[in-house]
Amino acid sequence: MNNEKYQRLKKLFIIGIIVSAVTVLGGEMPIGWVVNPEADNEILSMIMGYGSLSLAQLACGVFFGGIGIPLQYYGYKAIGEIAEMGGNKRCGMLIDLGARFIAFFGGIVHIICIALMFVIRMEMPLSDTIPQSVIDFTLWLVLPISAVFMSVYTVMTVVMIIPVIKGRTLFPKWAVVFNPLIAKVIIPVFAVFMPNTEFVNALNMADMGLGSLITFAGLLVLLNKYVNSEKQGAEILLTT
């Protein structure tokens, strides 16, 4: 790998890491930083928790999430380019298309979900059950858009695994652990068995941002390791 290509990939990953951290700390964890109150069922408890969020928490979610989520595209773009370098042009193209879709719709879905939280905040104090306005907003807007978004997100993250597991990238096969889908699955399961605290609920809310952050950071470390091993190999050849 030439130095120009390495510097480009490194820059893309660093951008991805920074904006993922912004997304997690500013856009996702604040809207999950709440203790869900006692309720008849888990869904109602979660909804009541959303109803207790402050306007400052919701505003942070909209601003930082709306900025950070779309810009995560650059980290995924680096992954797509690495896939293409290994001859996986179709995978690289699918990763790039998925990342573009997520960059556009990810911020929209995030803001719509916060809008739902705002509706809950307005309606829940007036009722001890889930208001019909909240149900309608969820069924006719949040769920359909989220279903499309998550379908594309899942396909993209699975495609990311294929060239790595086949050994057709510069990463070792075990690098499949650096995939955002893993955090998306593991963190909610982890949260089920943990106490109902602000930190645990905030981590659960930030599962996708954390997945991106861990993925970009892990792959950047492996990229640096690969380039350093290439340099050492070249130095050995020059001295023999």
Side-chain angles (χ1 to χ4, degrees):
M1 180 187 299
N2 62 51
N3 186 61
E4 182 179 352
K5 184 66 174 178
Y6 164 65
Q7 292 298 331
R8 171 179 168 77
L9 293 173
K10 181 180 177 181
K11 181 179 179 180
L12 290 174
F13 274 133
I14 290 174
I15 293 173
I17 290 168
I18 292 172
V19 297
S20 295
V22 168
T23 301
V24 170
L25 297 175
E28 293 177 333
M29 290 189 72
I31 58 175
W33 196 268
V34 63
V35 174
N36 296 329
E38 294 287 337
D40 293 337
N41 57 71
E42 191 68 26
I43 294 177
L44 181 58
S45 173
M46 184 174 61
I47 290 175
M48 290 173 66
Y50 294 155
S52 66
L53 292 172
S54 68
L55 290 177
Q57 286 173 288
L58 297 175
C60 280
V62 170
F63 181 76
F64 292 106
I67 292 173
I69 292 173
L71 292 177
Q72 289 177 28
Y73 163 77
Y74 292 104
Y76 289 112
K77 181 175 178 59
I79 297 172
E81 290 188 10
I82 290 172
E84 289 188 7
M85 287 168 55
N88 309 281
K89 291 186 177 181
R90 183 174 298 177
C91 287
M93 181 186 69
L94 289 175
I95 293 169
D96 186 68
L97 287 174
R100 289 176 184 272
F101 179 91
I102 290 169
F104 180 76
F105 280 99
I108 293 175
V109 172
H110 182 78
I111 291 171
I112 287 175
C113 288
I114 294 175
L116 172 61
M117 294 175 184
F118 181 76
V119 172
I120 292 170
R121 186 179 186 276
M122 298 295 291
E123 296 286 350
M124 284 302 293
L126 305 176
S127 174
D128 56 358
T129 60
I130 303 176
Q132 188 61 42
S133 59
V134 172
I135 296 173
D136 291 341
F137 195 102
T138 303
L139 290 178
W140 297 104
L141 186 60
V142 176
L143 284 181
I145 295 177
S146 297
V148 174
F149 172 79
M150 285 307 303
S151 297
V152 176
Y153 176 83
T154 302
V155 170
M156 182 193 73
T157 52
V158 170
V159 170
M160 286 169 52
I161 295 173
I162 296 173
V164 177
I165 204 70
K166 286 184 176 181
R168 298 178 62 185
T169 68
L170 52 84
F171 302 128
K173 291 184 179 181
W174 60 262
V176 293
V177 300
F178 296 121
N179 187 288
L181 191 59
I182 294 177
K184 179 63 181 172
V185 173
I186 290 178
I187 292 176
V189 173
F190 167 82
V192 169
F193 299 99
M194 296 300 291
N196 177 23
T197 65
E198 289 96 339
F199 182 70
V200 171
N201 293 333
L203 283 181
N204 193 26
M205 182 64 70
D207 57 359
M208 294 184 72
L210 283 169
S212 296
L213 179 59
I214 293 169
T215 298
F216 301 151
L219 294 182
L220 176 59
V221 170
L222 293 179
L223 174 65
N224 289 334
K225 184 176 180 180
Y226 173 83
V227 171
N228 288 335
S229 65
E230 271 194 334
K231 289 180 179 178
Q232 290 174 2
E235 289 173 358
I236 291 172
L237 288 173
L238 289 173
T239 56
T240 57

